[in-house]
Amino acid sequence: MTTPPTVEPIRPAKRRRIRRRLRRMGRNPRTRVRGPSFNRLIPNIMTMLGLCAGLSGMRFALEHQFEPAAVALLIAACIDGLDGRIARLLKGATRFGAEFDSLSDFVCFGVAPSFVLLMWSLEHAGRYSFVPCILFTVCMALRLARFNASLDDDDKPEYSYSFFTGVPAPAGAGLVLFPVFLGLEADRLHAGGLAAFARLPIVSAVCLIFTGLLLVSTLPVWSFKNFKVPARYVLPLMLGTGLYAALMVADPWGALAGAGLLYIAILPFSRRSYHRLKQAAEEMSETVEEEPA
């Protein structure tokens, strides 16, 4: 049998001569593209789309089209819940992406909701009507800054990773838009009294101040990232999720308003769960310290 001929590697000098000949012939050699892969750009593209959705919500509110404004902010919230998970799934999480996501959250959930409420009922409410909007936006900025600073904290106990400190930004935006959801539902039901109540300036001001205080509070709130569901509750949870999805399709504004009230109702249970875990961890550490070496 004859052995196949070995291919000798092309020397650098010979490679340069070949490139020069190709240039003379008008055929440029194929150069290697340097830069990040497209997978790494997908999360940043989604964050950009979410930012555009939040800015579009402000534009719709300026034209007093509050249904498209609310839909745009909901789209921004959905994108915010997906871009981080997609980044971790595609191994495209970067420091630039994290900072870009935080700035997008500030615009979509800190600036846009207060602007929507300003156009909803606070536009002609007097000289102090802008104060609750400023308070909410400042609280959102402080909440996001505290969250970014806590990412580098490695001394947190293990049980605290399942909780947020204060209400997260998308949930805060959903809570503060409660008057808009309630008013749109009242308009759909032709309930004039409820619609007038939802457009009262005092209702929007209270929602802005109350939600802003929840954002900067130290209240432990379930993050639902590492939340484990007992086996006997899996089927009821799936059925409830399907029922709520059907309700969102049939009556979106009523479902969103009800979800805001339900979220407020579970905050005391979240606090109680956190303190139970904290107490159990402290008792365990005391038991370990009391054991002889």
Side-chain angles (χ1 to χ4, degrees):
M1 295 178 60
T2 59
T3 59
T6 59
V7 179
E8 296 182 357
I10 301 176
R11 297 179 181 180
K14 188 175 181 180
R15 188 183 296 115
R16 286 193 295 269
R17 287 197 300 270
I18 293 174
R19 289 181 178 176
R20 284 195 296 268
R21 290 175 182 174
L22 289 175
R23 291 193 190 99
R24 294 192 193 101
M25 295 171 61
R27 295 172 55 190
N28 294 327
R30 184 178 179 182
T31 58
R32 182 178 297 177
V33 178
R34 297 183 180 274
S37 63
F38 185 73
N39 288 346
R40 286 178 169 266
L41 296 178
I42 290 177
N44 294 333
I45 292 174
M46 294 189 64
T47 304
M48 180 67 74
L49 293 177
L51 178 60
C52 294
L55 294 174
S56 299
M58 296 174 65
R59 178 248 182 185
F60 287 127
L62 191 62
E63 298 176 353
H64 291 272
Q65 300 179 13
F66 294 105
E67 285 194 14
V71 171
L73 294 182
L74 288 175
I75 292 174
C78 293
I79 293 177
D80 179 71
L82 292 175
D83 57 1
R85 289 170 174 81
I86 291 177
R88 290 188 291 271
L89 182 64
L90 298 177
K91 297 181 180 180
T94 59
R95 185 66 179 178
F96 171 82
E99 296 297 335
F100 184 36
D101 182 69
S102 181
L103 293 174
S104 175
D105 289 349
F106 174 68
V107 174
C108 296
F109 308 133
V111 179
S114 60
F115 185 81
V116 170
L117 284 182
L118 178 67
M119 305 305 297
W120 172 258
S121 62
L122 296 173
E123 185 178 7
H124 304 292
R127 67 174 69 179
Y128 298 109
S129 61
F130 195 57
V131 174
C133 300
I134 294 177
L135 178 64
F136 173 80
T137 303
V138 170
C139 290
M140 182 64 75
L142 293 174
R143 192 258 178 272
L144 291 172
R146 183 177 63 183
F147 176 78
N148 293 340
S150 66
L151 294 177
D152 299 329
D153 186 10
D154 297 330
D155 298 331
K156 294 192 300 183
E158 187 177 354
Y159 60 85
S160 65
Y161 285 97
S162 299
F163 296 87
F164 290 119
T165 302
V167 173
L175 291 177
V176 83
L177 289 175
F178 175 78
V180 178
F181 298 150
L182 184 64
L184 294 176
E185 177 65 14
D187 292 340
R188 191 188 70 84
L189 297 175
H190 303 288
L194 187 60
F197 173 77
R199 288 184 177 270
L200 288 175
I202 188 63
V203 176
S204 299
V206 169
C207 287
L208 285 165
I209 296 172
F210 177 69
T211 309
L213 295 178
L214 285 179
L215 290 170
V216 297
S217 67
T218 57
L219 180 69
V221 180
W222 278 320
S223 66
F224 298 104
K225 292 180 180 179
N226 302 320
F227 194 79
K228 294 184 178 180
V229 181
R232 63 180 181 273
Y233 294 132
V234 171
L235 184 59
L237 178 63
M238 295 179 67
L239 292 176
T241 303
L243 180 63
Y244 183 76
L247 186 62
M248 278 284 294
V249 174
D251 190 6
W253 309 122
L256 290 170
L261 295 176
L262 180 62
Y263 191 84
I264 292 293
I266 67 172
L267 292 181
F269 298 98
S270 174
R271 181 178 181 274
R272 186 179 65 177
S273 175
Y274 177 84
H275 285 289
R276 282 182 177 178
L277 292 175
K278 181 180 179 181
Q279 184 179 2
E282 290 176 352
E283 291 176 355
M284 186 179 298
S285 62
E286 291 176 359
T287 304
V288 172
E289 291 177 358
E290 291 176 357
E291 290 181 357

